């Protein structure tokens, strides 16, 4: 089976890069001036600088733990206990997810959210060196930089809290510890549980190969596992007694591949066969496959999905087998927010891209040489801010659910060498050393400064909310998850002694 589920957000950032860099005279360009450096922002930035050694240590701890989706016990606890130390009230195990938490500081309006992710990817174990070298063969690794993601969001909130406490600024900060982004699960369950209700707006980001703020959307998605049960028999001796579950999977897939022609070009269907039987001379009485159905918006996914279900039913009839569908998760398309993202972009211009040293650039170039891509090092420029050219054909993310519940901003900060693939050992290597630490500090500063703008200028949040209401076009959030679907809980493993 394929090694991992594509993390949608990094794909979006890569797609945005292609669009922007191809057009110097971009008619879609949005002109934004750098934000002002206010005294309050100076304090927040100074806090991040002073806390940097501690934040880098926290980053490295989560990088080393490298826990995959729903198993992020140590990573979630590291962030939750740090928030507690810093004066946040933390509730753990929210929405039935043992590795999700919410940390709250302050009271009253506005209520500003920060999203923190921390899940790793399977089989990407890697030391912080310039060629492929797993710490432990086959173990997980932070190939999407979610170690930096979680710590930077947490740090931004704590930096703002520090300023709010000192100056008696009213408002509430909520840090959401969001597990299982890579499997597009965590925030879908958190959204269904109402955790994101009542937010004035939400700030989020993603580690990237570039420094940018994107207004791209993402694909809506349904994902499910399909199990067929049949009857076994000797494949040569008495196959007429057999009813092959594998045949049912294959006929489903053939049906889906014919269906593609009659779906809109925006639809994307992919699958892996996880269990297709054990031996050719035994008719498989059990088979299992995993499917993704994506499209440009929720409504389209639901229409596509209905047709997929008919094909599955048809395959069962043809093979005289029975089937069960295990719905895993579903998400919406992301609602971008220009009003909020403009403020984040202005603060990115103010803070500037991470200043990487010559050693760090050499480290990145060594990796590029090893992979065979152009040795351009790490990006130190800020990409232009523009309207997206398109909003389909990319990955999916559970951040989309949050964007339907409150205006949500975006940000990408560079930590992977330009031109290297996403979900790759190169990202793991860079995320566990000083390159990752610099990305972390920049992201935390940009988000903290943006949050201070949101707190001090209520008219920004008002504009964000007006835009958000317009983008929803009268549609209210409805969870794509069936009401009786419980989160996939993975019990905590014993600590290695
Ligand atoms: Zn990611």
């Amino acid at each position: 089976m394929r090694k991992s589920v594509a993390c949608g957000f990094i794909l979006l950032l890569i797609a945005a890069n292609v669009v922007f860099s191809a057009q110097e005279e971009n008619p879609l360009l949005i002109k934004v001036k750098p934000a002002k450096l206010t005294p309050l922002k100076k304090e927040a930035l100074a806090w991040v600088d002073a806390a940097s050694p501690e934040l880098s240590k926290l980053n490295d701890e989560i990088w080393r733990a490298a826990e995959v989706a729903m198993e992020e016990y140590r990573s979630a606890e590291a962030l939750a206990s740090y928030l507690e130390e810093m004066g946040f009230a933390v509730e753990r195990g929210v929405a039935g997810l043992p590795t999700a938490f919410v940390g709250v500081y302050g009271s009253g309006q506005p209520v500003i959210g920060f999203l923190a992710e921390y899940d790793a990817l399977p089989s990407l174990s890697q030391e912080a060196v310039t060629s492929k070298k797993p710490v432990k063969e086959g173990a997980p690794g932070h190939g999407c930089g979610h170690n930096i993601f979680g710590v930077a969001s947490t740090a931004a909130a704590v930096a703002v809290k520090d300023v709010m406490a000192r100056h008696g600024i009213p408002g509430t900060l909520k840090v959401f510890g969001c597990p299982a982004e890579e499997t597009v699960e965590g925030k879908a369950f958190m959204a269904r549980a109402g955790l994101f209700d009542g937010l004035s707006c939400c700030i989020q980001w993603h580690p990237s190969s570039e420094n940018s703020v994107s207004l791209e959307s993402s694909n809506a998605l349904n994902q499910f596992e399909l199990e067929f049960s049949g009857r076994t028999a000797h494949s040569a001796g008495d196959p007429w007694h057999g009813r092959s579950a594998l045949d049912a999977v294959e006929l489903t897939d053939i049906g889906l591949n014919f269906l593609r022609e009659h779906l809109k070009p925006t639809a994307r269907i992919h699958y892996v066969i996880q269990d297709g039987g054990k031996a050719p001379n035994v008719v498989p009485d059990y088979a299992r496959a995993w499917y993704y159905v994506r499209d440009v918006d929720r409504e389209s996914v639901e229409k596509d999905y209905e047709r997929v279900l008919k094909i599955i039913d048809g395959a069962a009839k043809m093979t005289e087998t029975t089937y069960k569908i295990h719905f895993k998760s579903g998400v919406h398309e992301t609602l971008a927010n220009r009003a909020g993202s403009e403020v984040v972009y202005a603060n990115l211009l103010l803070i500037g891209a991470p200043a990487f040293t010559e050693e760090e650039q050499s480290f990145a170039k060594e990796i590029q040489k090893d992979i065979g891509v152009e040795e351009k090092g790490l990006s130190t420029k800020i990409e232009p801010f523009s309207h997206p050219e398109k909003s389909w054909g990319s990955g999916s993310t559970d951040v989309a659910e949050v964007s339907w519940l409150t205006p949500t901003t975006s940000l990408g900060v560079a930590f992977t060498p330009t031109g290297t693939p996403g979900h790759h050992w190169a990202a793991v290597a860079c995320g566990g050393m000083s390159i990752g630490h610099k990305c972390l500090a920049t992201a935390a500063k940009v988000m903290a400064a943006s949050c201070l703008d949101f707190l001090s200028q209520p008219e920004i949040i008002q504009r964000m909310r007006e835009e958000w209401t317009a983008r929803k076009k009268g549609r209210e959030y409805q969870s794509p998850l069936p009401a009786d679907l419980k989160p996939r809980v993975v019990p905590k493993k014993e600590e290695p002694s």
Side-chain angles (χ1 to χ4, degrees):
M1 89 178 225
R2 285 176 200 162
K3 276 185 189 160
S4 63
V5 175
C7 164
F9 218 79
I10 200 92
L11 293 177
L12 293 179
L13 294 170
I14 292 164
N17 187 24
V18 172
V19 171
F20 291 151
S21 59
Q23 304 188 8
E24 287 309 334
E25 292 299 314
N26 186 350
L28 301 171
L29 199 71
I30 302 169
K31 293 220 165 79
V32 177
K33 285 189 194 140
K36 288 200 177 79
L37 182 60
T38 62
L40 294 185
K41 283 185 195 174
K42 268 189 193 167
E43 286 183 30
L45 305 188
W47 183 91
V48 175
D49 283 331
S52 268
E54 195 178 6
L55 297 173
S56 300
K57 214 174 123 203
L58 194 54
N59 175 75
D60 295 354
E61 184 186 334
I62 295 172
W63 181 81
R64 266 192 304 274
E67 297 163 299
V68 295
M70 299 294 188
E71 298 180 24
E72 316 95 327
Y73 286 94
R74 281 182 288 162
S75 308
E77 185 49 41
L79 292 177
S81 53
Y82 178 71
L83 278 167
E84 271 176 346
E85 274 170 42
M86 295 292 137
F88 282 68
V90 178
E91 190 185 349
R92 293 167 171 80
V94 292
L97 298 156
T99 56
F101 66 83
V102 186
V104 183
Y105 170 79
S107 61
Q109 295 293 326
V111 185
I112 299 178
F114 290 84
L115 301 182
E117 296 174 6
Y118 32 75
D119 56 331
L121 287 157
S123 307
L124 276 180
S125 173
Q126 169 70 25
E127 290 185 14
V129 295
T130 57
S131 58
K132 191 170 189 293
K133 191 180 178 204
V135 177
K136 191 180 164 199
E137 195 66 55
H142 269 291
C144 206
H146 290 187
N147 52 316
I148 316 172
F149 191 148
V151 181
S153 298
T154 303
V158 178
V160 174
K161 177 251 158 184
D162 188 63
V163 175
M164 287 170 76
R166 204 169 314 124
H167 297 273
I169 299 169
T172 309
L173 305 178
K174 284 190 175 186
V175 180
F176 295 93
C178 306
E181 191 282 335
E182 294 295 354
T183 50
V184 205
E185 289 174 287
K187 294 178 209 73
F189 286 95
M190 294 169 78
R192 189 182 66 177
L195 292 176
F196 304 113
D197 294 353
L199 291 177
S200 308
C201 66
C202 193
I203 298 172
Q204 71 94 32
W205 79 293
H206 202 293
S208 176
S209 60
E210 63 179 29
N211 306 290
S212 64
V213 176
S214 166
L215 294 177
E216 285 230 332
S217 184
S218 58
N219 269 329
L221 160 80
N222 272 0
Q223 57 159 325
F224 63 94
E225 275 184 16
L226 172 62
E227 283 181 307
F228 280 105
S229 297
R231 199 162 68 218
T232 189
H234 191 293
S235 301
D238 62 339
W240 48 89
H241 286 135
R243 299 291 182 266
S244 169
L246 175 61
D247 289 358
V249 168
E250 289 194 79
L251 286 167
T252 297
D253 296 346
I254 289 165
L256 293 181
N257 290 328
F258 275 99
L259 176 69
R260 289 183 204 277
E261 191 186 352
H262 307 287
L263 292 173
K264 288 199 176 155
T266 48
R268 297 283 183 279
I269 300 176
H270 7 279
Y271 54 82
V272 287
I273 298 175
Q274 299 161 297
D275 187 343
K278 302 289 182 268
N281 57 353
V282 180
V283 173
D285 61 355
Y286 176 81
R288 190 173 81 247
W290 180 7
Y291 297 85
Y292 268 37
V293 181
R294 309 199 211 220
D295 211 325
V296 68
D297 55 27
R298 190 68 225 151
E299 201 184 6
S300 304
V301 160
E302 278 165 19
K303 281 184 193 155
D304 300 341
Y305 184 61
E306 281 304 310
R307 298 178 71 186
V308 167
L309 294 182
K310 287 179 189 164
I311 284 172
I312 294 167
D313 202 56
K317 285 198 172 79
M318 282 190 276
T319 51
E320 296 172 42
T321 56
T322 58
Y323 66 92
K324 274 188 197 152
I325 291 169
H326 304 276
F327 194 90
K328 287 166 80 83
S329 81
V331 292
H332 287 70
E333 72 281 14
T334 300
L335 291 181
N337 193 274
R338 177 183 163 174
S341 293
E342 248 180 55
V343 173
V344 176
Y345 189 73
N347 281 292
L348 175 60
L349 293 175
L350 168 69
I351 306 298
F356 295 113
T357 62
E358 246 174 66
E359 288 79 27
E360 287 158 351
Q361 288 292 8
S362 307
F363 185 92
K365 286 176 189 169
E366 281 290 312
I367 289 177
Q368 285 162 330
K369 191 175 168 189
D370 188 276
I371 297 175
V373 299
E374 205 181 333
E375 292 165 47
K376 290 204 267 187
L378 296 145
S379 173
T380 52
K381 65 171 184 180
I382 295 172
E383 304 299 324
F385 184 53
S386 77
H387 294 285
E389 277 206 334
K390 64 174 181 65
S391 63
W392 57 271
S394 294
S396 307
T397 171
D398 61 4
V399 172
E401 302 314 279
V402 184
S403 78
W404 276 83
L405 290 161
T406 194
T408 303
T409 64
S410 91
L411 166 70
V413 177
F415 87 111
T416 55
T418 310
T420 57
H423 291 188
H424 191 270
W425 63 259
V428 191
C430 294
M433 45 87 75
S434 62
I435 292 172
H437 302 161
K438 284 196 177 157
C439 169
L440 190 171
T442 298
K445 286 177 180 178
V446 174
M447 288 189 285
S450 306
C451 185
L452 287 169
D453 281 339
F454 297 154
L455 280 169
S456 61
Q457 300 172 60
E459 65 276 15
I460 299 175
I461 291 181
Q462 197 186 328
R463 277 205 307 276
M464 288 167 78
R465 296 193 69 84
E466 280 164 10
E467 180 187 337
W468 174 68
T469 304
R471 282 183 191 260
K472 285 197 297 173
K473 294 181 189 146
R475 297 164 295 172
E476 284 308 315
Y477 180 77
Q478 277 189 319
S479 173
L481 307 179
D484 60 349
L485 182 67
K486 291 197 174 72
R488 177 179 64 89
V489 170
V490 181
K492 191 176 180 180
K493 290 185 192 119
E494 289 300 314
E495 294 282 327
S497 54

